[in-house]
Amino acid sequence: GFLARRDAAIIALFYDSGMRASEVANARLGDLDTETGLLFIPHTKTRRTRRIQLSTECMIAIDRYLRRRPPEAPEWLFVSRLGAHMRR
């Protein structure tokens, strides 16, 4: 279901990117380019914007999650089961 796909996408993203929990929690839909597999991280610990090229496997996991993500959910990439912003 939705939660399993979300969690799989989060784990794939951690494994693939080395992102911090706060960076994953604060990622927005607009930060992800699904065509190129690039994820922009505008607010890092060092206050520098980073770009991460995600693997095909990670993008597949994220795509599977996005297909189940509630369309009315807010701008955050990963949302709770109630459709709200997830905290780390």
Side-chain angles (χ1 to χ4, degrees):
F2 164 73
L3 293 178
R5 289 183 184 211
R6 182 202 64 197
D7 294 348
I10 289 172
I11 290 168
L13 188 56
F14 275 129
Y15 181 77
D16 203 43
S17 68
M19 291 173 67
R20 293 177 176 86
S22 60
E23 292 171 340
V24 171
N26 291 317
R28 298 171 188 259
L29 275 174
D31 296 336
L32 177 65
D33 184 337
T34 56
E35 296 296 317
T36 63
L38 278 175
L39 179 63
F40 296 88
I41 307 167
H43 305 291
T44 65
K45 181 178 177 180
T46 60
R47 302 183 196 272
R48 301 176 118 181
T49 299
R50 290 193 301 155
R51 287 186 319 178
I52 297 174
Q53 180 66 57
L54 302 177
S55 68
T56 302
E57 294 81 10
C58 185
M59 286 304 301
I60 289 170
I62 291 172
D63 181 62
R64 286 179 179 155
Y65 157 70
L66 290 176
R67 291 173 192 251
R68 295 282 179 106
R69 185 180 181 278
E72 69 280 356
E75 63 190 303
W76 308 105
L77 180 58
F78 295 107
V79 295
S80 70
R81 63 183 168 83
L82 300 175
H85 179 218
M86 285 183 51
R87 304 287 180 202
R88 64 178 198 115

